[in-house]
Amino acid sequence: MAVSRNILITGASRGIGLGLTQAFVQAGWRVYAVSRNLAASSELQALAQQQGERLQLIECDLEQREAGQLLDQALGQQTLTCALFNAGVYGPQHQDPRQANVAEIGQLFFANAIAPISLAQQLAGRIESGGVIAFMSSQMASLQLNRALDMPLYGASKTALNSLLLSWRSQYRELPWSLLALHPGWVRTAMGGADAPLEVADSAAGLLQVISSQMGRNRCTFLDYQGQTLPW
């Protein structure tokens, strides 16, 4: 199968990120998969051995200051059809603003909101006209839905991500590509837990379809893995 589309996926070593990597490779895309520690990413490495040049691995800690430069160097001259920033740390287990300290909240908001937007802006020049820049958000980011009761700090960090995304959108009179905030569903991962109803493969398949459907639409929107629009 000829490769005609290229995607960068961060957080690709496990969970939804690994599922997305598998889904896009199987759909014929060339995937540039980013992991903080490739030596500890055995499933991702095994997949890369199976897929050959269709799956390129990049080791990069996205929270380090030089992350954008390192990704830029790793990609060389390659343009991208899509960049998908899959970031999602839970934050402090207590999820209680009364107990929160500067270090843990700073790390939560930087990982979930600041770093992905910053990296996307640094790499935006690589995205093909009509392509997609997507971010893993959550329905808990929606102020109108107000579904972050049990995870208020995590939800607030995803709301911050969406806010930064809308601020970025406002800088353009017309977008050259689509900007997407994506809700993957409640997925059975280390973060989602064993009671989550959705398999990783089903979420990933849905997100692949959603991203593909937004190519050429050049809009900013908040969608779930089934393509339903969510309120900001």
Side-chain angles (χ1 to χ4, degrees), residues 14-226:
R14 59 192 176 94
I16 296 173
L18 181 60
L20 286 163
T21 299
Q22 294 169 324
F24 275 93
V25 166
Q26 291 169 4
W29 292 55
R30 177 181 287 112
V31 178
Y32 293 85
V34 183
S35 170
R36 182 193 302 264
N37 183 359
L38 287 177
S41 307
S42 57
E43 290 184 80
L44 184 60
Q45 290 202 58
L47 184 63
Q49 290 178 355
Q50 296 171 6
Q51 298 297 331
E53 67 174 16
R54 292 232 310 259
L55 177 53
Q56 304 291 321
L57 304 186
I58 301 173
E59 184 171 77
C60 183
D61 180 349
L62 302 184
E63 296 179 31
Q64 63 182 313
R65 183 180 296 274
E66 302 82 8
Q69 181 180 352
L70 292 173
L71 290 178
D72 200 51
Q73 292 174 348
L75 289 168
Q77 299 300 311
Q78 183 63 62
T79 59
L80 298 171
T81 312
C82 176
L84 174 52
F85 296 90
N86 170 52
V89 300
Y90 183 85
Q93 287 296 317
H94 57 74
Q95 287 289 303
D96 186 348
R98 295 167 298 181
Q99 300 181 49
N101 62 53
V102 171
E104 60 192 12
I105 295 304
Q107 197 276 334
L108 172 65
F109 275 72
F110 190 83
N112 285 3
I114 305 300
I117 291 289
S118 172
L119 290 170
Q121 292 177 344
Q122 291 177 66
L123 297 174
R126 290 183 176 273
I127 307 301
E128 299 165 0
S129 178
V132 171
I133 302 176
F135 301 85
M136 200 62 69
S137 185
S138 167
Q139 66 177 355
M140 285 183 276
S142 171
L143 296 176
Q144 184 173 328
L145 293 177
N146 191 27
R147 292 179 179 169
L149 177 62
D150 296 326
M151 298 172 63
L153 298 180
Y154 175 82
S157 72
K158 290 298 188 178
T159 301
L161 170 67
N162 284 12
S163 177
L164 289 169
L165 183 60
L166 289 174
S167 294
W168 189 17
R169 165 64 185 96
S170 69
Q171 297 175 21
Y172 293 87
R173 185 170 184 176
E174 293 184 2
L175 283 171
W177 11 250
S178 288
L179 287 174
L180 307 180
L182 299 173
H183 168 53
W186 183 12
V187 186
R188 202 171 302 131
T189 62
M191 181 180 294
D195 294 333
L198 192 61
E199 295 283 357
V200 168
D202 294 328
S203 174
L207 291 168
L208 186 155
Q209 293 300 318
V210 169
I211 288 170
S212 298
S213 74
Q214 297 304 307
M215 290 174 59
R217 302 190 69 174
N218 296 18
R219 63 174 186 154
C220 180
T221 189
F222 187 10
L223 302 169
D224 71 8
Y225 74 101
Q226 295 177 309

